[in-house]
């Protein structure tokens, strides 16, 4: 009898090894964790059975499976896949990921500065972090990160750990990212230079004129409330009577920081937010407690589709109490509360434990189906495709989710905060050439070089003189275009004409930021906002709406828009 032919060693990929057992692991993990967190009417016997089955499967795999496997990796994978069957915001981080994720809010880090969400093997941008490299080059909410330095991010290998590993790195190093955008047929390549992502969360606080102050909050981190109070004290000392509070592209953060700021703006002991969960331990109400810094005076809040979570809590409280006029576009619509649970090995489960509700009783959480996170993450693309970014007429709310503000105005749940005054996205100056300038960092690099070459001339004037008198000349624009050509960007005359005024404004803004802003020690980037806000259609609309904001404070709602119902 002929001897059997020796077989070659099997070197299965981790994905191949996972397939035969992932279903068993997922089911077992689901039974175990479900019993622990949602035991409600279930007995401890069910928990014990789940634990026993999970342990049994793990032991069988460890001792009998044909190939050597990393059991810890399989457990992590099974948990992650199980959680995909829940809501889109419940998530699991291995120890390394948990540390990296916390640094977004607790301390600075080196990277490209982007808030992202991984779902169903796709990496979606929630929002670029204000002041970070991604925002500078033009990364937008809703973009899909496809490749990093040629390595594919999408597909079975997509994970939080992989994204953190590829995006973070030593400041000054460059990363090439392939990005998909709903408004473009072809992906774009962005060259992003990693930098220190600022720990500051109040980006700007300056007086627009003798009465109007502008304050931008980019996220709600550990220090946000203290930064806010410092900024407000400075504005009040300069004569603040009216406030523009910019929450655009603020992805959220700590709820308590948002409610503390709301308390500074809302009088009495009014309700600010409340939460309700299946377990009554997670039901809580947060009310205003003390005399705030700015409880009287018109407020205009700026919001858009990148405003999420804690920023929606703040905007919702101000809107429900008729304390502020909301201007811009419909917010993201995240009304679920996650509790971070640190596990024994350093990993972290962020478990959705409750929904939060604005004072009027509305949940602003946009619709989702369990296990359909991919559809959920495509919502921003669907908004673009439906024309919502450009016309409020396409936005319809369910009449069953109609609520009232303190003064009886209609507000709606189930889909974010609808602004009182809608402002379409301004794409009139967008062009392929402009996007390529962003992607290759041409504007920022030109401005930095200009500042280095003209420091003495810039030193002869203060920032207010620079703001009023400095212009980016045609000769400077010609030099900038030459830089673009050297980088392989060939501008079309039509594109250049269309984007010229925005290119000039942003170049001036960067020059102001790099020369005058580097002398600051408060983390504010006032200079670039002071240059660019006059070209911003949402900001300009806010300036025109203080009459309505004053009417709102007096209880006169006759001038406000009416939201259409389905």
């Amino acid at each position: 009898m002929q001897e059997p032919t020796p077989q070659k060693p099997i070197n299965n990929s981790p994905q191949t090894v996972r397939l035969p057992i992932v279903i068993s692991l997922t089911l077992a993990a689901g039974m175990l964790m479900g019993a622990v967190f949602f035991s409600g009417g279930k007995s401890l016997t069910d928990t014990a059975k789940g634990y026993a089955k999970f342990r049994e499967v793990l032991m069988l795999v460890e001792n009998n499976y044909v190939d050597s496997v990393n059991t810890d990796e399989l457990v992590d994978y099974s948990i992650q896949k199980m959680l995909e069957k829940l809501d889109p915001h419940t998530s699991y981080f291995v120890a390394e990921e948990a540390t990296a994720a916390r640094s977004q809010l607790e301390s600075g880090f080196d990277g490209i500065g982007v808030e992202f969400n991984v779902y169903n093997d796709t990496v979606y941008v929630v929002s670029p972090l204000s002041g970070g490299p991604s925002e500078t080059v033009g990364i937008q909410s809703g973009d899909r990160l496809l490749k990093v330095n040629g390595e594919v991010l999408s597909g079975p290998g997509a994970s939080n750990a992989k994204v953190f590993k590829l995006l973070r790195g030593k400041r000054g190093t460059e990363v090439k990212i392939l990005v998909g955008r709903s408004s473009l047929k072809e992906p774009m390549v962005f060259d992003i230079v990693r930098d220190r992502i600022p720990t500051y969360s109040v980006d700007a606080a300056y007086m627009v004129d003798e009465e109007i102050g502008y304050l931008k909050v980019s996220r709600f981190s550990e220090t946000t409330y203290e930064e806010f109070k410092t900024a407000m004290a400075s504005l009040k000392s300069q004569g603040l009577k009216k406030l523009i509070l910019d929450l655009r592209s603020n992805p959220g953060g700590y709820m308590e920081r948002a409610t503390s700021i709301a308390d500074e703006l809302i009088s009495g002991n009014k309700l600010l937010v409340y939460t309700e969960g299946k377990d009554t331990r997670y039901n809580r109400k947060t009310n205003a407690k003390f005399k705030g810094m700015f409880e009287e005076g018109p407020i205009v809040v700026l919001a858009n589709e990148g405003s999420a979570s804690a920023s929606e809590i703040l905007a919702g409280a101000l809107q429900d109490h008729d304390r502020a006029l909301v201007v811009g576009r419909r917010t993201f619509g995240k009304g679920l509360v996650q509790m971070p649970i640190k596990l024994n090995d350093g990993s972290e489960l962020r478990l959705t434990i409750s929904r939060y509700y604005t004072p009027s009783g509305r949940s602003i959480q946009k619709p989702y189906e369990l296990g359909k996170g991919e559809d959920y993450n495509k919502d921003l693309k669907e908004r673009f495709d439906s024309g919502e970014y450009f016309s409020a007429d396409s936005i319809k709310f369910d009449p069953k989710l109609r609520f009232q503000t303190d003064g009886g105005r209609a507000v709606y749940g189930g889909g974010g905060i609808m602004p009182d005054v809608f402002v379409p996205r301004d794409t009139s100056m967008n062009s392929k050439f402009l996007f390529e300038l962003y992607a290759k960092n041409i504007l920022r690099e030109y401005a930095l070089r200009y500042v280095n070459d003209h420091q003495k001339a810039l030193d002869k004037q203060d920032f207010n003189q620079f703001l009023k008198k400095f212009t980016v000349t045609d000769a400077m624009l010609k030099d900038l275009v030459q830089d673009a050509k050297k980088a392989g960007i060939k501008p079309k005359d039509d594109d250049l004409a269309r984007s010229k005024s925005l290119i000039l404004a942003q170049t001036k803004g960067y020059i102001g930021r790099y020369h005058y802003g580097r002398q600051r020690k408060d983390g504010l980037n006032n200079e670039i906002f002071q240059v660019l806000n006059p070209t911003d259609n949402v900001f300009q609309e806010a300036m025109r709406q203080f009459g309505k904001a004053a009417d709102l404070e007096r209880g006169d709602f006759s001038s406000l828009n009416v939201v259409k119902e389905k």
Side-chain angles (χ1 to χ4, degrees), residues 39-51:
S39 54
K42 289 189 176 183
S43 68
L44 290 177
T45 303
D46 294 325
T47 304
K49 287 180 179 178
Y51 174 78

Side-chain angles (χ1 to χ4, degrees), residues 252-271:
Y254 294 119
M255 179 188 295
E256 292 79 6
R257 307 307 188 271
T259 54
S260 294
I261 290 175
D263 201 351
E264 296 288 353
L265 306 174
I266 294 173
S267 63
N269 64 343
K270 295 183 178 72
L271 180 64

Side-chain angles (χ1 to χ4, degrees), residues 324-340:
L325 191 76
V326 180
V327 173
R329 293 185 294 279
R330 183 163 64 102
T331 61
F332 184 84
K334 180 182 181 293
L336 302 176
V337 180
Q338 285 71 50
M339 179 173 67

Side-chain angles (χ1 to χ4, degrees), residues 172-454:
T173 57
E174 187 174 89
V175 58
K176 189 180 294 291
I177 300 181
L178 185 69
V179 173
R181 181 170 295 169
S182 57
S183 59
L184 301 174
K185 293 182 179 180
E186 299 295 328
M188 299 178 61
V189 176
F190 288 83
D191 294 325
I192 305 178
V193 178
R194 296 183 180 97
D195 201 352
R196 187 67 175 172
I197 306 304
T199 58
Y200 298 104
S201 53
V202 173
D203 289 349
Y206 70 89
M207 293 298 292
V208 180
D209 57 26
E210 293 181 355
E211 292 187 339
I212 300 174
Y214 172 84
L215 195 154
K216 180 171 177 59
V217 181
S218 60
R219 57 190 177 275
F220 292 93
S221 66
E222 283 189 335
T223 61
T224 301
Y225 180 46
E226 295 302 321
E227 292 178 52
F228 175 85
K229 289 195 295 182
T230 299
M232 284 295 292
S234 174
L235 293 177
K236 290 184 70 175
S237 70
Q238 298 174 66
L240 176 70
K241 297 292 188 295
K242 307 172 184 178
L243 176 65
I244 296 177
L245 178 59
D246 193 345
L247 300 179
R248 287 177 295 176
S249 299
N250 181 325
Y254 294 119
M255 179 188 295
E256 292 79 6
R257 307 307 188 271
T259 54
S260 294
I261 290 175
D263 201 351
E264 296 288 353
L265 306 174
I266 294 173
S267 63
N269 64 343
K270 295 183 178 72
L271 180 64
L272 303 177
V273 68
Y274 67 96
T275 61
E276 291 184 354
K278 183 167 63 176
D279 189 326
T280 56
R281 289 180 299 165
Y282 305 127
N283 296 351
R284 55 180 292 192
K285 292 184 178 180
T286 303
N287 291 72
K289 298 177 182 178
F290 49 78
K291 177 68 175 178
M293 301 179 72
F294 194 71
E295 292 183 351
E296 295 181 358
I299 300 175
V300 177
V301 171
L302 309 187
N304 65 7
E305 57 280 353
S307 306
S309 192
S311 58
E312 293 175 291
I313 289 174
L314 176 54
L318 292 169
Q319 188 181 53
D320 280 3
H321 289 306
D322 300 306
R323 181 67 188 93
L325 191 76
V326 180
V327 173
R329 293 185 294 279
R330 183 163 64 102
T331 61
F332 184 84
K334 180 182 181 293
L336 302 176
V337 180
Q338 285 71 50
M339 179 173 67
I341 303 169
K342 193 169 183 180
L343 306 181
N344 290 333
D345 64 348
S347 58
E348 184 174 286
L349 173 66
R350 295 189 178 180
L351 185 70
T352 297
I353 56 169
S354 60
R355 289 179 170 83
Y356 73 75
Y357 298 83
T358 70
S360 66
R362 54 179 168 153
S363 167
I364 55 83
Q365 175 62 47
K366 61 186 178 182
Y368 67 89
E369 292 183 47
L370 295 180
K372 296 292 184 65
E374 183 175 8
D375 294 339
Y376 180 86
N377 282 296
K378 289 180 179 177
D379 172 65
L380 295 183
K381 179 181 184 300
E382 291 173 358
R383 295 191 197 188
F384 177 87
D385 293 340
S386 70
E388 178 181 325
Y389 291 162
F390 309 102
S391 173
D393 291 339
S394 65
I395 307 170
K396 304 293 190 297
F397 282 91
D398 188 342
K400 295 179 182 178
L401 300 177
R402 186 181 189 274
F403 298 85
Q404 288 189 336
T405 68
D406 290 355
R409 291 189 300 141
V411 287
Y412 294 81
I417 301 292
M418 181 66 187
D420 301 302
V421 178
F422 177 85
V423 183
R425 180 183 284 185
D426 184 6
T427 60
S428 61
M429 291 181 283
N430 287 352
S431 68
K432 182 181 179 182
F433 177 55
L434 180 65
F435 290 150
E436 289 177 330
L437 290 179
Y438 291 155
K440 297 288 186 180
N441 285 308
I442 302 299
L443 297 180
R444 185 168 66 170
E445 291 178 3
Y446 175 82
L448 187 59
R449 189 173 72 249
Y450 184 91
V451 168
N452 290 333
D453 292 343
H454 298 83

